[in-house]
Every structure is written in structure tokens, then in C-alpha cells.
Amino acid sequence: MTPEELSAAVQSVLTDAVEAGELNLPEGSVPQEVRVERPKNRDHGDWATTVALQLAKPAGANPRQLAQVLASRIENIDGVSAVDIAGPGFINITLDAAAAGQLAKNIVDAGETFGHTQALAGRTVNLEFVSANPTGPLHIGHTRWAALGDAVARLLRASGAEVTSEYYINDAGNQMNVFANSVMARIHGEDVPEGGYPGEYTKDLAAEVLAARPEVKDMPREEALPIVRELAYQSQMAQIQQTLADFGVHFDVYFSETTLHSEGKIESAIDTLRQQGHIDDRDGAIWLRTTDFGDDKDRVLIKADGEPTYFAADAAYYLTKRERGFEEKIYLLGADHHGYVARLKAIAACAGDDPQRNIEILIGQLMSVRGAKLSKRAGNIIELADLINWLGTDALRYTLARFPADSPIDVDPELLQSKTNDNPVFYVQYAHARACNAARNAAAFDVARTREDGQPAFDASLLTHPTEEELLAHLGRFPSTVASAAELREPHRVARYLEALASAYHAWYAKCRMSPSTHQDGTVDEVTDLHRTRLWLNDATAQVLRNGLSLLGVSAPEKM
């Protein structure tokens, strides 16, 4: 029995009790979903629910009395062997072996979709992350958000949300002219101007520009500059996108800041904000009164000389997300962007949105990598491409995913490259590879999940060994782990879950045989339904490990 099936059964019991008059609840107070969770102490049962505590206030009753009414009905659910009431009204539920073991078959049957829920169904989310300036290669400062942002997108989708992952390209403003002049200097064999981009990569960009348009070298610089800027920009963006692809990160939308200016989005945003009543005209400039909503000062949108500010682009960009139908806008920003939180929330409020519901800003802390070499090519930074080549995508992504975003990370390369159980990504991937190898070995003894007639050979009641009960308990936690990780934007919950699951699998593997024994005289025991059923459990574990690693953007190797 899956947690979803048990949840639905308890929900039905609750509804029946209300209709029978056993529970006197006000209209609308019955929850649409009864949640079941694994109790912290497995001695308390397989599952627990706090529904009696939730109903106590609207019912005006003692929660233990409510729990007693529900418990008397829950114990009649098929597959439930015992129900116990603990504390102020917790209902602990124990399943019989057959009902508990059925989970293994359900997981294999569900395949890649096991763990997916509809917890966030109906929610439309725009998730913006990385958004590095297109004036140089991606570096270590972008690495963490690339991994976390992509994992959050995967988790949200697995929980039923409609997600658009978006990269905001800062291709407007003076930095693009500085970038173009740096490449132009390289085209003419000169050092980059003071304050320019000195990395060796600008020489590579210059060579690419010349290969595409050799005539720019002989053109007047003022005339050549827009051509150089556009070609160098396109080349640099292509490199950024390739690095992201190598890192397993996909964006649905690359949104150009330039379009905000060329398509009149800034003027349109100002008109909208003026209609909302939050625009002031002062000292020849146009201001947004963000202090009305908690910002430390009002913000200039259009300067006295008529030039829009960066903040104007931020406001216009937010409004385009609103216009495109995104109810929720999530921004993943670096540690140096704390000052953006209040102003972005103020933009949302000024636009008529609820800053507590329609916009969410996650601030991440820095990461460092011991012994990482600075890239002279990129101007004494640590390039993401170099980190990928050095440590590998899997090791990097898993490591970055297993820590909360708001905690600094110091990455130990020696640990990530080690093939020992001390290396978390190796430990989890090895569990998957071991499960795949165990299945191959079982097949060599003609152990299959089906009998000769093609019918499934599965007897859940046979899975009674303590390590099997523990492994099934971990497997059953996967859907709720995914749902909570998505809701809280915390991929590390999945990583830590996978490590616990791998530990439970390794313990089971050491105790329970899936293949028949071979004796000294060469004879082999008969294949039984216990072997076949354990193969289902083995394959179910491999499936959950695979599904969990996929949510983190990490591969699940079948051999190691």
C-alpha cells in the first residue's frame, strides 16, 4: 500500500464518519487530503496522521476522542493490522506484511513517475536563475545556482507545477559597450582599455568576430563597434549555453533585457505603475514609491536626463512575467544580492501583486573549491567549464544539491574524486549500480519478476525480514520527501533521503539473498517466489534511486 493509497483510505474513513454523524464538524472544515507521514520512531507503526489534532478546534472536541472514532474505522481498512493512539491524538497505523510489501510492486509498475505528486498542481511558476552577464564565461559564482536552480525546477515539475525556467540576459547597458571595446582592442592587437575585460577569452572572441566579418578590422571603430558587440555577444552566449548544457542545465526561455527597451516595455511598465498610484514625478525624474512597501528608499525609474535606470528594467521585467501568466515568480540570487529582496518585493506590491505569495527571492551563500586553479584565460576566475572537466558534472551537482542554499560550501575535490563510501555521490550511485548488478546476477539464475506463464511472481507477505521492513519504510517516504523538497525549495532533502535509502539497501543486500544458493557439489537451490519477490524489491529500490538522482540532475550508472 502506497502512502497515497493509505491517505485516500483514511480520507474516505473520515468522510464516512462525518456522514454517519460520528463526527460533528462544521461545513467546509473537512480537509481535502489527509496526510500520512512516517513516524520518527518506527516502533510506533508504519504511518502516522495528525488529522485528529487538526480537526479538534473546528469540532470543539478533545483530539483523542476524535482519534478514537477514526481509529475504530481505520483498523477495518484492508491491509491495516493495528492502529494506536499516542500523545494528544496522534494516530499510528501499522500495515500487515502484504500491504507494506505491495509498495515494491507499485514502485516498479509506476517506474519513472513514482514520487511524482500533484501537490502543486495548478500553480504556474517562473523560475529565474544564473542570469550571468554575457560579457564572459560562467564561473564558480554561477555554479551553485545553476545546480540548485535546475534541481528546484525538476522538483516543482515532479510536484505538478507548471514551471518555466528562465535566464535573464543583461545585454543592455554600459557593460556591453565596455565588453565590445575590450574585444575591439583585441582585434587591433591592443591591451583592453582600463576598466575593460582583460581575460584571454576576449582574444578568442576577437578571432571569432574576425572569422565572421574580417572587414571590421579596417572599418572606422565607431562604425565597427555595433557589429563587434553583436557578434561577440552571440559567441559568448553560445559558450555560456554550451557550458550549461554540459552541466545538465536547461532553460526554457532566454529573455533579453534589450527587448525591454526596444519593445517599449519600460514605458508600458511605468504607465501600469502610474495607474496603480505609486509613481511620483520629482526633480525632473520619475520615481517609484517603493518605501510604501518596506523598501529603504524610493527608486528612480527614469533619470532627469530621460535615461531609464537598471531598476526600471527590473520593474519592466517583473511585469512581463506577470503579463505572461506566471502567478508565482521565483528569483534565485547570489549572496551579494540581499539588497534586491526589498526592492523586488516592493515592485510586486506596486504592481498589485501580493509580495508574500506572488514573488519569492532565494539568496544563496558562496561556495569555494579547495585547490581550484584560477583561469588566466577568463581573467583570474575559476571557470565552471574547468570545474566540470576537473570534478565532473555528477560530483559537482550532487555536492551542491546536498546542502541548504543558505549555508556556505567548501568543496573537497579529493573527497569527490574518491571511490569510497565517504563520498556521498559515490555511495548513492554505487547503491544503484549494485542493485543493477544484483538484478543481472539474479537473471543468470533465471530469477525473474514473472513466472514462465508471464504472470507477475510477487508475494508481498514474504517480505518480512527486518531489513526488508526498513527498506520498504524508506521507499515509502520518497513521495513526501519530493513534495516537501519542492514546496520548501530544498533539493538537499532529496540528497539526504537518497543517502539514507542507499544505507538501507546496502544493509538489506548483506542480509537477504535474491539468487538461489549454490552448494559445493554444484547443485543450485530451486528458484522460489521469495527470490522473485525480492527481485521486485531490489528493482523498486533501483527505480527510486534513479528517480531521486534524476531530480538532482545526476546520472544513475548501472556499472561502477
Side-chain angles (χ1 to χ4, degrees), residues 45-62:
D46 295 310
W47 298 98
T49 178
T50 59
V51 65
L53 298 171
Q54 298 168 21
L55 295 175
K57 185 174 182 180
N62 184 301

Side-chain angles (χ1 to χ4, degrees), residues 437-450:
N437 186 61
R440 289 191 294 268
N441 289 340
F445 286 94
D446 295 325
V447 178
R449 297 200 305 260
T450 57

